[in-house]
């Protein structure tokens, strides 16, 4: 079994997240995608972020009609910091059966040498699913000088260019601008009903 591991703050989960995860599932022949909600991202220090329980409720609403998408509490149920290498170690130790494919964007791949224990992360994954955007310039040869064996683990995912971000959506709600079609209907309705992101 091939299992995708898709981490993020998901503040809020939006259509680009779902499209990218589904493209990864299809193009890499994954049986399921584990969504790892990160309570606090080590890559975004000092960034204001919504409470994880709120984001978890929104993520559950976003994924409820796709049986191949599953939420994992691997980061929620442990203390910070939340490094990808430790997340993968815990998933492997929990006897999760299958090959773990860590999903990330091309920008994250470029920054991978700055991550915590990047060589261990690469070694412990069956592959890295890289969501490549048009215009991405990634020098794999240069990266492999720092992380040997990286090239053999990279699997490219041709991702559609979607200029949607959580920051943009939060700003739209705050400013009273339309955001309905950036989000799954259930997520949009929950945000409206609970008056989220609007202050």
């Amino acid at each position: 079994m091939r299992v995708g591991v898709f981490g993020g703050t998901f503040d809020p989960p939006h259509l680009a997240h779902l499209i990218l995860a589904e493209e990864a599932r299809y193009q890499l022949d994954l049986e399921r995608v584990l969504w790892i909600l990160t309570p606090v991202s080590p890559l975004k220090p000092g960034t204001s972020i919504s409470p994880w329980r709120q984001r978890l409720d929104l993520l559950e609403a976003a994924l409820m009609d796709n049986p191949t998408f599953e939420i994992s509490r691997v980061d929620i149920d442990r203390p910070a910091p939340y490094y990808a290498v430790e997340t993968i170690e815990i998933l492997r130790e929990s006897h999760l059966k299958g090959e773990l494919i860590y999903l990330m964007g091309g920008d994250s791949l470029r920054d991978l040498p700055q991550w915590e224990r990047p060589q261990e992360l690469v070694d412990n994954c069956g592959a890295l699913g890289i969501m490549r955007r048009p215009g991405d310039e990634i020098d794999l040869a240069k990266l492999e000088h720092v992380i040997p064996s990286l090239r053999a683990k990279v699997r490219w995912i041709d991702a559609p260019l979607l200029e949607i971000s959580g920051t943009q959506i939060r700003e739209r709600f705050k400013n009273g601008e339309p955001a309905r079609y950036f989000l799954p209907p259930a997520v949009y309705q929950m945000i409206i009903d609970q008056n989220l992101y609007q202050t």
Side-chain angles (χ1 to χ4, degrees):
M1 181 167 63
R2 294 163 61 82
V3 179
V5 178
F6 187 28
T9 53
F10 305 119
D11 191 19
H14 50 70
L15 291 180
H17 290 134
L18 293 168
I19 290 169
L20 292 172
E22 181 67 0
E23 284 297 317
R25 187 201 63 75
Y26 173 72
Q27 293 182 35
L28 300 181
D29 194 26
L30 306 176
E31 291 198 30
R32 59 183 169 136
V33 176
L34 287 182
W35 293 61
I36 312 295
L37 182 73
T38 304
V40 181
S41 174
L43 302 175
K44 302 175 183 177
T47 302
S48 177
I49 190 170
S50 302
W52 69 261
R53 288 182 189 277
Q54 171 184 309
R55 291 180 285 123
L56 179 61
D57 288 344
L58 293 171
L59 189 57
E60 287 173 345
L63 307 185
M64 65 182 174
D65 63 350
N66 189 330
T68 65
F69 289 169
E70 178 183 331
I71 297 172
S72 170
R73 295 181 58 99
V74 63
D75 282 359
I76 293 171
D77 292 338
R78 67 186 178 100
Y82 307 101
Y83 295 122
V85 63
E86 294 171 356
T87 299
I88 291 295
E89 286 172 356
I90 294 168
L91 289 173
R92 288 171 63 89
E93 289 168 4
S94 69
H95 306 294
L96 178 68
K97 293 183 179 178
E99 180 184 14
L100 297 179
I101 314 297
Y102 194 83
L103 307 176
M104 66 171 69
D107 54 342
S108 295
L109 178 62
R110 280 194 303 270
D111 296 340
L112 192 58
Q114 282 75 55
W115 286 29
E116 183 77 7
R117 293 161 29 218
Q119 186 67 60
E120 286 183 49
L121 173 63
V122 171
D123 290 345
N124 285 328
C125 291
L128 301 177
I130 309 302
M131 301 173 190
R132 180 168 48 185
R133 303 292 186 90
D136 272 354
E137 294 183 10
I138 301 167
D139 188 340
L140 273 182
K142 182 179 177 181
L143 287 170
E144 196 161 50
H145 280 298
V146 183
I147 308 170
S149 76
L150 175 65
R151 189 190 302 263
K153 293 289 182 88
V154 167
R155 304 291 181 271
W156 298 110
I157 302 164
D158 290 321
L161 182 60
L162 297 166
E163 296 296 335
I164 301 175
S165 71
T167 301
Q168 177 190 39
I169 291 169
R170 294 192 302 272
E171 283 297 312
R172 282 181 161 273
F173 277 110
K174 184 178 178 181
N175 296 332
E177 298 170 352
R180 177 177 180 180
Y181 297 111
F182 290 70
L183 299 158
V187 172
Y188 175 78
Q189 195 59 52
M190 187 177 293
I191 291 172
I192 295 301
D193 291 347
Q194 298 181 21
N195 199 37
L196 305 178
Y197 304 120
Q198 296 172 53
T199 56

